[in-house]
Amino acid sequence: MLARAAKGGFDALAYAGLRAGAPVLKDLLGPSSQLAALGLVTEQPVADAFTRAAAGQPTAQGALHPVVAAEVWLRQHTAARAAWWEEVGGRVAAA
């Protein structure tokens, strides 16, 4: 293992995962995409990439992963409860 020159190929697994998750991923990055709403991605090229990947065609998988991760993070960040502060007997308490 230590002498090998490259990592194993995982393309088949990656494409199978993209194929299985394509409907969810297209929905995640479709019209409700927060990244698209902020102008950080354009919906159609992302949808086209997922369509190609789901069909097993060559796709820039290295570009898809960060987009999905950023969208999920942004949605979780937006949905997270914001801290609020209130005055309690002359001191500030966080809740």
Side-chain angles (χ1 to χ4, degrees):
M1 181 173 109
L2 296 175
R4 71 180 188 197
K7 294 181 180 179
F10 298 102
D11 285 346
L13 292 173
Y15 279 108
L18 286 168
R19 188 171 26 263
V24 173
L25 294 170
K26 283 183 180 180
D27 183 53
L28 182 72
L29 291 159
S32 67
S33 170
Q34 292 187 15
L35 290 175
L38 292 170
L40 298 172
V41 298
T42 306
E43 182 184 338
Q44 195 56 52
V46 174
D48 293 345
F50 281 120
T51 299
R52 285 191 307 276
Q57 298 173 348
T59 307
Q61 294 181 33
L64 292 178
H65 180 262
V67 170
V68 171
E71 180 71 30
V72 170
W73 174 85
L74 185 58
R75 287 179 183 226
Q76 289 177 341
H77 176 71
T78 304
R81 235 176 138 176
W84 58 274
W85 305 91
E86 67 181 52
E87 196 73 29
V88 178
R91 65 181 205 279
V92 176

